[in-house]
Coordinates of all heavy atoms in Angstrom, one line a residue:
M1 N 139.0 87.3 156.4 CA 140.2 86.6 156.0 C 139.7 85.6 154.9 O 138.6 85.2 154.9 CB 140.9 86.0 157.1 CG 141.5 86.9 158.2 SD 142.4 88.4 157.7 CE 143.7 88.0 156.7
V2 N 140.7 85.1 154.2 CA 140.4 84.1 153.2 C 140.6 82.7 153.8 O 141.3 82.5 154.7 CB 141.3 84.3 151.9 CG1 141.0 85.6 151.2 CG2 142.8 84.2 152.3
D3 N 139.9 81.8 153.2 CA 139.9 80.4 153.7 C 140.5 79.5 152.5 O 139.8 79.2 151.5 CB 138.5 79.9 154.0 CG 138.5 78.4 154.4 OD1 139.6 77.8 154.6 OD2 137.4 77.9 154.7
P4 N 141.8 79.1 152.7 CA 142.4 78.4 151.6 C 141.8 77.0 151.4 O 142.0 76.4 150.3 CB 143.9 78.3 152.0 CG 143.9 78.6 153.5 CD 142.7 79.4 153.8
D5 N 141.0 76.5 152.3 CA 140.4 75.2 152.2 C 139.0 75.3 151.6 O 138.4 74.2 151.4 CB 140.3 74.5 153.6 CG 141.7 74.2 154.2 OD1 142.6 73.9 153.4 OD2 141.9 74.4 155.4
S6 N 138.5 76.5 151.4 CA 137.2 76.7 150.8 C 137.1 76.2 149.3 O 138.1 76.2 148.6 CB 136.8 78.2 150.9 OG 135.6 78.4 150.2
S7 N 135.9 75.8 148.9 CA 135.8 75.4 147.5 C 135.7 76.7 146.6 O 135.8 76.6 145.4 CB 134.5 74.6 147.3 OG 133.4 75.4 147.7
T8 N 135.5 77.9 147.2 CA 135.5 79.1 146.5 C 137.0 79.5 146.3 O 137.8 79.6 147.2 CB 134.8 80.2 147.3 OG1 133.5 79.8 147.5 CG2 134.8 81.5 146.5
P9 N 137.4 79.8 145.0 CA 138.7 80.2 144.7 C 139.1 81.5 145.6 O 138.3 82.3 145.8 CB 138.7 80.6 143.3 CG 137.6 79.8 142.7 CD 136.6 79.8 143.8
I10 N 140.4 81.6 146.0 CA 140.8 82.7 146.8 C 140.6 84.0 146.2 O 140.2 85.0 146.8 CB 142.3 82.5 147.2 CG1 142.4 81.2 148.1 CG2 142.9 83.7 147.9 CD1 143.8 80.8 148.5
Y11 N 140.8 84.1 144.9 CA 140.6 85.4 144.2 C 139.2 85.9 144.3 O 138.9 87.0 144.5 CB 141.1 85.4 142.8 CG 140.2 84.7 141.8 CD1 139.3 85.4 141.0 CD2 140.4 83.3 141.5 CE1 138.5 84.8 140.1 CE2 139.6 82.7 140.6 CZ 138.6 83.4 139.9 OH 137.8 82.8 139.0
R12 N 138.2 84.9 144.3 CA 136.8 85.3 144.4 C 136.5 85.6 145.9 O 135.6 86.5 146.1 CB 135.9 84.1 144.0 CG 136.0 83.9 142.5 CD 134.6 83.6 141.9 NE 134.7 83.5 140.5 CZ 134.3 84.4 139.7 NH1 133.8 85.5 140.1 NH2 134.3 84.2 138.4
Q13 N 137.1 85.0 146.8 CA 136.9 85.4 148.2 C 137.4 86.8 148.5 O 136.7 87.6 149.1 CB 137.7 84.4 149.1 CG 137.2 83.0 149.2 CD 138.0 82.1 150.1 OE1 138.2 82.5 151.2 NE2 138.5 81.0 149.6
V14 N 138.6 87.2 147.9 CA 139.1 88.5 148.1 C 138.2 89.5 147.4 O 137.9 90.6 147.9 CB 140.6 88.6 147.6 CG1 141.1 90.1 147.6 CG2 141.5 87.7 148.4
A15 N 137.7 89.2 146.2 CA 136.8 90.1 145.5 C 135.5 90.3 146.3 O 135.0 91.4 146.3 CB 136.5 89.5 144.1
A16 N 135.0 89.2 146.9 CA 133.8 89.3 147.7 C 134.0 90.2 148.9 O 133.1 91.0 149.3 CB 133.3 87.9 148.1
I17 N 135.2 90.1 149.5 CA 135.5 91.0 150.7 C 135.5 92.4 150.3 O 134.9 93.3 150.9 CB 136.9 90.6 151.3 CG1 136.7 89.2 152.0 CG2 137.3 91.6 152.3 CD1 138.1 88.6 152.4
L18 N 136.2 92.7 149.2 CA 136.3 94.1 148.7 C 134.9 94.6 148.2 O 134.6 95.8 148.4 CB 137.3 94.2 147.5 CG 138.8 94.0 148.0 CD1 139.7 93.9 146.7 CD2 139.2 95.0 148.9
A19 N 134.2 93.7 147.5 CA 132.8 94.1 147.1 C 132.0 94.5 148.3 O 131.2 95.5 148.2 CB 132.2 93.0 146.3
E20 N 132.0 93.8 149.3 CA 131.3 94.1 150.5 C 131.7 95.4 151.1 O 130.8 96.2 151.6 CB 131.4 92.9 151.6 CG 130.6 93.2 152.8 CD 129.1 93.1 152.6 OE1 128.6 92.7 151.5 OE2 128.4 93.6 153.4
Q21 N 133.0 95.7 151.1 CA 133.5 97.0 151.6 C 133.0 98.1 150.8 O 132.6 99.2 151.3 CB 135.0 97.0 151.6 CG 135.6 96.1 152.7 CD 137.1 96.0 152.6 OE1 137.8 96.6 151.7 NE2 137.7 95.3 153.5
I22 N 132.9 97.9 149.5 CA 132.3 98.9 148.6 C 130.8 99.1 148.8 O 130.4 100.3 149.0 CB 132.6 98.6 147.1 CG1 134.1 98.7 146.8 CG2 131.8 99.5 146.2 CD1 134.6 98.0 145.5
R23 N 130.1 98.0 148.9 CA 128.6 98.1 149.1 C 128.3 98.8 150.5 O 127.3 99.5 150.6 CB 128.0 96.7 149.1 CG 128.0 96.2 147.7 CD 127.2 94.9 147.6 NE 127.3 94.3 146.2 CZ 128.1 93.3 146.0 NH1 128.8 92.7 146.9 NH2 128.2 92.9 144.7
T24 N 129.1 98.5 151.5 CA 128.8 99.1 152.8 C 129.3 100.5 153.0 O 129.0 101.1 154.0 CB 129.3 98.2 154.0 OG1 130.8 98.2 153.9 CG2 128.8 96.8 153.9
G25 N 130.1 100.9 152.1 CA 130.7 102.3 152.2 C 132.0 102.3 153.0 O 132.6 103.4 153.2
A26 N 132.5 101.2 153.4 CA 133.8 101.1 154.1 C 134.9 101.5 153.1 O 135.9 102.0 153.5 CB 134.1 99.7 154.7
L27 N 134.6 101.2 151.8 CA 135.5 101.7 150.7 C 134.6 102.5 149.8 O 134.0 102.0 148.9 CB 136.1 100.4 150.0 CG 137.1 100.7 148.9 CD1 138.3 101.4 149.5 CD2 137.6 99.3 148.4
P28 N 134.5 103.8 150.1 CA 133.6 104.7 149.4 C 133.9 104.9 147.9 O 135.1 104.8 147.5 CB 133.6 106.0 150.1 CG 134.7 105.9 151.1 CD 135.3 104.5 151.1
A29 N 132.9 105.2 147.1 CA 133.1 105.5 145.7 C 134.2 106.6 145.6 O 134.1 107.6 146.3 CB 131.8 105.9 145.1
G30 N 135.0 106.4 144.6 CA 136.1 107.4 144.4 C 137.4 107.2 145.1 O 138.4 107.8 144.8
R31 N 137.3 106.3 146.1 CA 138.5 106.0 147.0 C 139.4 105.0 146.2 O 138.9 104.1 145.6 CB 138.1 105.5 148.3 CG 139.1 105.0 149.2 CD 139.8 106.0 150.1 NE 139.0 107.1 150.7 CZ 138.5 107.0 151.9 NH1 138.7 106.0 152.7 NH2 137.9 108.0 152.4
V32 N 140.7 105.1 146.4 CA 141.6 104.2 145.7 C 141.4 102.8 146.4 O 141.4 102.7 147.6 CB 143.0 104.6 145.9 CG1 144.0 103.6 145.3 CG2 143.2 106.0 145.1
V33 N 141.3 101.8 145.6 CA 141.3 100.4 146.1 C 142.7 100.0 146.5 O 143.6 100.4 145.8 CB 140.7 99.5 144.9 CG1 140.8 98.0 145.3 CG2 139.3 99.9 144.6
P34 N 142.9 99.2 147.5 CA 144.2 98.7 147.9 C 145.0 98.2 146.7 O 144.4 97.5 145.8 CB 144.0 97.7 148.9 CG 142.6 98.0 149.5 CD 141.8 98.6 148.4
S35 N 146.2 98.5 146.6 CA 147.1 98.0 145.5 C 147.2 96.5 145.5 O 147.0 95.8 146.6 CB 148.4 98.6 145.6 OG 149.1 98.2 146.7
E36 N 147.7 95.9 144.5 CA 148.0 94.5 144.4 C 149.0 94.1 145.5 O 148.8 93.1 146.2 CB 148.6 94.1 143.1 CG 147.5 94.2 141.9 CD 148.2 93.9 140.6 OE1 149.4 93.6 140.5 OE2 147.4 94.0 139.6
T37 N 150.0 94.9 145.7 CA 151.0 94.7 146.8 C 150.3 94.7 148.1 O 150.6 93.8 149.0 CB 152.1 95.7 146.7 OG1 152.7 95.7 145.4 CG2 153.2 95.5 147.8
R38 N 149.5 95.7 148.4 CA 148.8 95.7 149.7 C 147.9 94.5 149.9 O 147.8 94.0 151.0 CB 148.0 97.0 149.7 CG 147.1 97.2 150.9 CD 148.0 97.6 152.1 NE 147.1 97.7 153.3 CZ 147.5 97.6 154.5 NH1 148.8 97.4 154.7 NH2 146.7 97.7 155.5
L39 N 147.2 94.1 148.8 CA 146.3 92.9 148.9 C 147.2 91.7 149.2 O 146.8 90.8 150.0 CB 145.5 92.7 147.7 CG 144.4 93.8 147.4 CD1 143.8 93.6 146.1 CD2 143.4 93.8 148.5
Q40 N 148.3 91.6 148.6 CA 149.2 90.5 148.8 C 149.6 90.4 150.3 O 149.6 89.3 150.9 CB 150.5 90.6 148.0 CG 150.4 90.3 146.6 CD 151.7 90.5 145.9 OE1 152.0 91.6 145.4 NE2 152.6 89.5 145.9
Q41 N 150.0 91.5 150.9 CA 150.4 91.6 152.2 C 149.2 91.3 153.2 O 149.4 90.6 154.2 CB 151.0 93.0 152.5 CG 152.3 93.3 151.8 CD 152.7 94.7 151.9 OE1 151.9 95.6 152.3 NE2 153.9 95.0 151.5
E42 N 148.1 91.9 152.9 CA 147.0 91.8 153.8 C 146.4 90.4 153.9 O 146.0 90.0 154.9 CB 145.9 92.8 153.4 CG 144.8 93.0 154.4 CD 143.9 94.2 154.2 OE1 144.3 95.1 153.5 OE2 142.7 94.1 154.6
Y43 N 146.3 89.8 152.7 CA 145.6 88.5 152.7 C 146.6 87.3 152.5 O 146.1 86.1 152.4 CB 144.6 88.5 151.6 CG 143.5 89.5 151.8 CD1 143.4 90.7 151.2 CD2 142.5 89.2 152.8 CE1 142.4 91.6 151.4 CE2 141.5 90.2 153.1 CZ 141.5 91.3 152.4 OH 140.5 92.3 152.7
G44 N 147.9 87.6 152.3 CA 148.9 86.5 152.1 C 148.7 85.7 150.8 O 148.7 84.5 150.8
I45 N 148.4 86.5 149.8 CA 148.1 85.9 148.5 C 149.2 86.3 147.4 O 149.9 87.2 147.7 CB 146.7 86.3 147.9 CG1 146.6 87.9 147.8 CG2 145.6 85.8 148.9 CD1 145.3 88.4 147.2
A46 N 149.2 85.6 146.3 CA 150.1 85.9 145.2 C 149.6 87.1 144.4 O 148.4 87.5 144.4 CB 150.2 84.7 144.3
R47 N 150.5 87.8 143.7 CA 150.1 89.0 142.9 C 149.1 88.6 141.9 O 148.1 89.4 141.7 CB 151.4 89.6 142.3 CG 151.1 90.8 141.4 CD 152.3 91.5 140.8 NE 153.1 92.1 141.9 CZ 153.0 93.4 142.3 NH1 152.1 94.1 141.7 NH2 153.8 93.8 143.2
H48 N 149.3 87.5 141.2 CA 148.3 87.1 140.2 C 146.9 86.9 140.8 O 145.9 87.3 140.2 CB 148.8 85.7 139.6 CG 147.8 85.3 138.5 ND1 147.7 85.9 137.3 CD2 147.0 84.2 138.5 CE1 146.8 85.2 136.6 NE2 146.4 84.2 137.3
T49 N 146.8 86.4 142.0 CA 145.5 86.2 142.7 C 144.9 87.6 143.0 O 143.7 87.8 142.8 CB 145.7 85.5 144.0 OG1 146.3 84.2 143.7 CG2 144.4 85.2 144.7
A50 N 145.7 88.6 143.4 CA 145.2 89.9 143.7 C 144.7 90.5 142.4 O 143.7 91.2 142.4 CB 146.3 90.8 144.3
R51 N 145.5 90.3 141.3 CA 145.1 90.9 140.0 C 143.8 90.3 139.6 O 142.9 91.1 139.0 CB 146.2 90.6 139.0 CG 146.1 91.3 137.7 CD 147.3 91.2 136.9 NE 148.4 91.9 137.5 CZ 149.7 91.7 137.4 NH1 150.1 90.6 136.8 NH2 150.6 92.4 138.1
K52 N 143.6 89.0 139.7 CA 142.3 88.4 139.3 C 141.1 88.9 140.2 O 140.0 89.1 139.6 CB 142.4 86.9 139.4 CG 143.2 86.2 138.3 CD 143.4 84.8 138.5 CE 142.1 84.0 138.2 NZ 142.3 82.6 138.2
A53 N 141.4 89.1 141.4 CA 140.3 89.7 142.3 C 139.8 91.0 141.8 O 138.6 91.3 141.7 CB 140.8 89.7 143.8
I54 N 140.8 91.9 141.5 CA 140.5 93.2 141.0 C 139.8 93.1 139.6 O 138.8 93.9 139.4 CB 141.8 94.1 140.9 CG1 142.4 94.3 142.2 CG2 141.5 95.4 140.2 CD1 141.5 95.1 143.2
A55 N 140.2 92.2 138.8 CA 139.5 92.0 137.5 C 138.1 91.6 137.7 O 137.2 92.1 136.9 CB 140.3 90.9 136.7
V56 N 137.8 90.8 138.6 CA 136.4 90.4 138.9 C 135.6 91.6 139.3 O 134.4 91.8 138.8 CB 136.3 89.3 140.0 CG1 134.9 89.1 140.5 CG2 136.9 88.0 139.5
L57 N 136.1 92.5 140.1 CA 135.4 93.7 140.5 C 135.2 94.6 139.4 O 134.2 95.3 139.2 CB 136.2 94.4 141.6 CG 136.3 93.6 143.0 CD1 137.2 94.4 143.9 CD2 134.9 93.4 143.6
R58 N 136.2 94.7 138.5 CA 136.1 95.6 137.3 C 135.1 95.1 136.4 O 134.2 95.9 135.9 CB 137.5 95.7 136.6 CG 137.6 96.7 135.5 CD 138.9 96.8 134.8 NE 140.0 97.0 135.8 CZ 140.9 96.0 136.0 NH1 140.9 94.8 135.4 NH2 141.9 96.2 136.9
E59 N 135.0 93.8 136.2 CA 134.0 93.2 135.2 C 132.6 93.4 135.8 O 131.7 93.5 135.0 CB 134.3 91.7 135.0 CG 135.6 91.5 134.2 CD 136.1 90.0 134.3 OE1 135.3 89.2 134.9 OE2 137.2 89.8 133.8
S60 N 132.5 93.4 137.1 CA 131.1 93.6 137.7 C 130.8 95.1 137.8 O 129.7 95.4 138.3 CB 131.1 92.9 139.0 OG 131.9 93.5 140.0
G61 N 131.7 96.0 137.5 CA 131.4 97.4 137.5 C 131.5 98.1 138.9 O 131.1 99.2 139.1
L62 N 132.1 97.3 139.8 CA 132.3 97.9 141.2 C 133.5 98.8 141.3 O 133.6 99.6 142.2 CB 132.4 96.8 142.2 CG 131.0 96.0 142.4 CD1 131.3 94.8 143.3 CD2 130.0 97.0 143.0
V63 N 134.5 98.6 140.4 CA 135.7 99.5 140.4 C 136.0 99.9 139.0 O 135.5 99.2 138.0 CB 136.9 98.8 141.0 CG1 136.6 98.3 142.4 CG2 137.4 97.6 140.2
H64 N 136.8 100.9 138.8 CA 137.4 101.3 137.5 C 138.8 101.6 137.7 O 139.3 102.0 138.7 CB 136.6 102.4 136.9 CG 136.7 103.7 137.7 ND1 136.0 104.0 138.8 CD2 137.5 104.8 137.4 CE1 136.4 105.2 139.2 NE2 137.3 105.7 138.4
T65 N 139.6 101.4 136.6 CA 141.0 101.7 136.6 C 141.3 102.8 135.7 O 140.8 102.9 134.6 CB 141.8 100.4 136.2 OG1 141.5 99.3 137.1 CG2 143.3 100.6 136.2
V66 N 142.2 103.7 136.2 CA 142.7 104.9 135.5 C 144.2 104.6 135.2 O 144.9 104.5 136.2 CB 142.5 106.2 136.2 CG1 143.1 107.4 135.4 CG2 141.0 106.4 136.6
M67 N 144.5 104.5 134.0 CA 145.9 104.2 133.6 C 146.9 105.1 134.3 O 146.7 106.4 134.2 CB 146.1 104.2 132.1 CG 145.5 103.0 131.4 SD 146.2 101.5 132.0 CE 147.1 101.0 130.5
G68 N 147.9 104.6 134.9 CA 148.9 105.4 135.6 C 148.5 106.0 136.9 O 149.3 106.7 137.5
K69 N 147.2 105.8 137.3 CA 146.8 106.4 138.6 C 146.4 105.4 139.6 O 146.6 105.5 140.8 CB 145.6 107.3 138.3 CG 145.9 108.5 137.4 CD 145.8 109.7 138.1 CE 146.1 110.8 137.1 NZ 146.3 112.1 137.7
G70 N 145.6 104.3 139.2 CA 145.2 103.3 140.1 C 143.8 102.9 139.8 O 143.2 103.2 138.8
T71 N 143.3 102.0 140.7 CA 142.0 101.5 140.6 C 141.1 102.1 141.7 O 141.5 102.2 142.9 CB 142.0 99.9 140.8 OG1 142.8 99.4 139.7 CG2 140.6 99.3 140.7
Y72 N 139.9 102.6 141.4 CA 139.1 103.3 142.3 C 137.7 102.6 142.5 O 137.2 102.0 141.5 CB 138.8 104.7 141.7 CG 140.0 105.5 141.6 CD1 140.8 105.4 140.5 CD2 140.4 106.4 142.6 CE1 142.0 106.1 140.3 CE2 141.6 107.1 142.5 CZ 142.4 107.0 141.4 OH 143.5 107.7 141.3
A73 N 137.2 102.7 143.6 CA 135.8 102.1 143.9 C 134.8 102.9 143.1 O 134.9 104.1 142.9 CB 135.5 102.2 145.4
G74 N 133.8 102.2 142.6 CA 132.7 102.8 141.9 C 132.9 102.7 140.4 O 134.0 102.4 139.9
P75 N 131.9 103.0 139.7 CA 132.0 103.0 138.2 C 132.8 104.1 137.7 O 133.0 105.2 138.4 CB 130.5 103.1 137.8 CG 129.8 103.8 138.9 CD 130.5 103.4 140.1
A76 N 133.3 104.0 136.5 CA 134.1 105.0 135.8 C 133.2 106.3 135.6 O 132.0 106.2 135.3 CB 134.6 104.6 134.5
P77 N 133.7 107.5 135.9 CA 133.0 108.7 135.6 C 132.7 108.9 134.2 O 133.5 108.4 133.3 CB 133.9 109.8 136.2 CG 135.2 109.2 136.3 CD 135.1 107.7 136.4
E78 N 131.6 109.5 133.9 CA 131.2 109.7 132.5 C 132.1 110.7 131.8 O 132.6 111.6 132.3 CB 129.8 110.3 132.4 CG 128.8 109.3 133.0 CD 128.6 108.1 132.1 OE1 128.5 108.2 130.9 OE2 128.4 107.0 132.6

């Protein structure tokens, strides 16, 4: 869960949780990452916060987004 009193921004906490799930295989490569709406519900966060968390993962190469389809764990296929 996220800690609203932490000095780490909530979006970074959510990104870290998802990154750990990807690294451990709980969220395997090729699997759809939870939607912004699902992240909002699961962690009690705002849509903008969920969007920023996904952006952090995308920038680090842990996920890729396919327009009109969703965001997937793992790097974009060649």
Side-chain angles (χ1 to χ4, degrees):
M1 296 315 305
V2 295
D3 178 5
D5 297 323
S6 172
S7 62
T8 303
I10 291 174
Y11 76 94
R12 291 222 176 256
Q13 292 179 53
V14 173
I17 291 167
L18 293 171
E20 183 64 17
Q21 291 176 356
I22 292 168
R23 286 188 190 103
T24 63
L27 186 57
R31 174 84 42 94
V32 175
V33 174
S35 67
E36 292 173 3
T37 302
R38 176 76 180 156
L39 293 174
Q40 284 179 269
Q41 295 167 345
E42 190 169 336
Y43 297 104
I45 59 176
R47 181 176 290 269
H48 181 70
T49 303
R51 190 170 290 151
K52 284 178 72 173
I54 297 297
V56 167
L57 295 173
R58 190 179 308 110
E59 290 167 7
S60 66
L62 290 173
V63 303
H64 67 281
T65 300
V66 178
M67 289 297 252
K69 299 247 181 189
T71 300
Y72 299 85
E78 297 289 321

